[in-house]
Amino acid sequence: MDFTALDLRIGTITHAAPDAEGVMLTVALGHADVQVASQITETYAADTLLGRQVVVVTNGPGGAVVLAGLSPTDGAVLLQPDRPVADGTRVV
């Protein structure tokens, strides 16, 4: 896969609800909102995610994907900027 073809953006989680597969997220990207299904329930409760900024692949082969690192001790750990940026900011 050519990673330079991926569109990586910073967005803010505006809605998070548990579902059968994990957590369904709505992420604001400035120009649009995207729906993302994520399997992060081992690490995060849905109600702790609101307002958190995350890194989103907006053009992944299966749709939008929130990026996380997989820690052997903590499970999935969301990637996020170290300070707030505008929703839709491109990751380079």
Side-chain angles (χ1 to χ4, degrees):
M1 172 177 258
D2 178 8
F3 288 100
T4 62
L6 295 176
D7 185 22
L8 301 171
R9 302 286 173 156
I10 304 296
T12 300
I13 298 172
T14 59
H15 181 76
D19 74 359
E21 299 294 318
V23 180
M24 181 59 70
L25 304 173
T26 301
V27 182
L29 294 176
H31 65 285
D33 291 351
V34 294
Q35 302 293 316
V36 181
S38 61
Q39 297 177 343
I40 56 174
T41 55
E42 290 180 11
T43 311
Y44 302 95
D47 62 349
T48 67
L49 296 168
L50 296 179
R52 183 184 299 259
Q53 286 199 304
V54 292
V55 179
V56 180
V57 178
T58 64
N59 64 341
V65 176
V66 173
L67 296 183
L70 187 56
S71 165
T73 57
D74 296 319
V77 178
L78 292 171
L79 300 183
Q80 60 187 33
D82 69 349
R83 64 186 69 153
V85 297
D87 288 339
T89 296
R90 186 166 183 243
V91 176
V92 294

